[in-house]
Amino acid sequence: FLFMSTLVAEAALYRWVDSKGKVHYSDHVPPEDAGQERKVMDGSGRTIDVIERSKTEEELRELKRIKKIREEEKRQQELQASRDRVLLLTYQSEQEIIVARDNKLSTIELAKEHAQESLTAQRQRLSEIRHKAAEFERSSRPIPTDLLDEMATQQQQIEKTLVYIKTREHEQQQLRDEFAGYIDRYRELTK
């Protein structure tokens, strides 16, 4: 008799509500209700576990979407932590960040100055070519093809140089913004 009462006490009992709202108690759940949430109870009627109901396709999609968002947030946090370590290892003070920024800006400024000098020379050369072409036109002679080609080439070179200068200016602004971010983050990390 003691052996039988031990088996009964250890046997699991399930409690669930079916799709019609009716409460059931049994030692097994029929297949048609297997997707319902159910409580597992011990022989004394205490809940020892809860088995969740099956999720709908929409719920599964939402869980998957939330999981992806959390994974991306975790990845971003790890990336930020890595960047913070590099920032703190690279610079010992805010002043070092400013010096590094200014050095990079100076390098770009020198490149711009050289490009500006080239641009001045290119414009001067284009002016000389146009002057020669004008002499041909004034004397009612056709402008030689090689002179026209040289004029077109010089104009293209000027346009390329202007684009180069504009690109370097944009690069300088990006550096200013990037280093402003470094300075702000450095301040946050070293408060």
Side-chain angles (χ1 to χ4, degrees), residues 134-147:
E135 287 177 9
F136 278 97
E137 285 180 332
R138 279 193 291 277
S139 64
S140 299
R141 293 181 294 162
I143 301 171
T145 306
D146 62 333
L147 196 60

Side-chain angles (χ1 to χ4, degrees), residues 96-156:
E96 282 187 20
I97 299 172
I98 292 168
V99 168
R101 178 202 62 201
D102 291 348
N103 286 340
K104 289 184 178 210
L105 288 173
S106 293
T107 300
I108 297 171
E109 191 60 38
L110 276 174
K112 276 176 43 188
E113 287 173 10
H114 289 300
Q116 197 64 49
E117 290 170 6
S118 292
L119 183 62
T120 301
Q122 292 163 358
R123 285 179 171 159
Q124 177 63 37
R125 180 66 188 136
L126 181 60
S127 178
E128 292 169 3
I129 295 167
R130 285 181 175 159
H131 182 72
K132 283 183 186 179
E135 287 177 9
F136 278 97
E137 285 180 332
R138 279 193 291 277
S139 64
S140 299
R141 293 181 294 162
I143 301 171
T145 306
D146 62 333
L147 196 60
L148 290 172
D149 291 345
E150 189 178 352
M151 191 182 320
T153 300
Q154 201 61 45
Q155 186 62 44
Q156 289 172 350

Side-chain angles (χ1 to χ4, degrees), residues 83 87 91 94 97 104 175-189:
R83 288 178 178 157
L87 181 66
Y91 302 107
E94 188 177 321
I97 299 172
K104 289 184 178 210
L175 269 172
R176 286 184 192 98
D177 294 344
E178 182 180 345
F179 273 83
Y182 291 164
I183 291 168
D184 289 344
R185 188 65 181 159
Y186 188 85
R187 286 176 183 162
E188 287 176 28
L189 295 170

Side-chain angles (χ1 to χ4, degrees), residues 44-72:
S44 63
R46 288 180 308 188
T47 300
I48 56 174
D49 195 10
V50 176
I51 300 170
E52 290 185 12
R53 69 173 173 75
S54 299
K55 306 273 190 260
T56 64
E57 286 296 318
E58 186 177 321
E59 289 171 325
L60 290 171
R61 279 193 301 275
E62 181 64 12
L63 287 173
K64 190 174 181 180
R65 186 186 73 79
I66 290 169
K67 182 181 177 188
K68 279 179 83 171
I69 289 170
R70 288 187 179 141
E71 287 171 353
E72 179 59 21

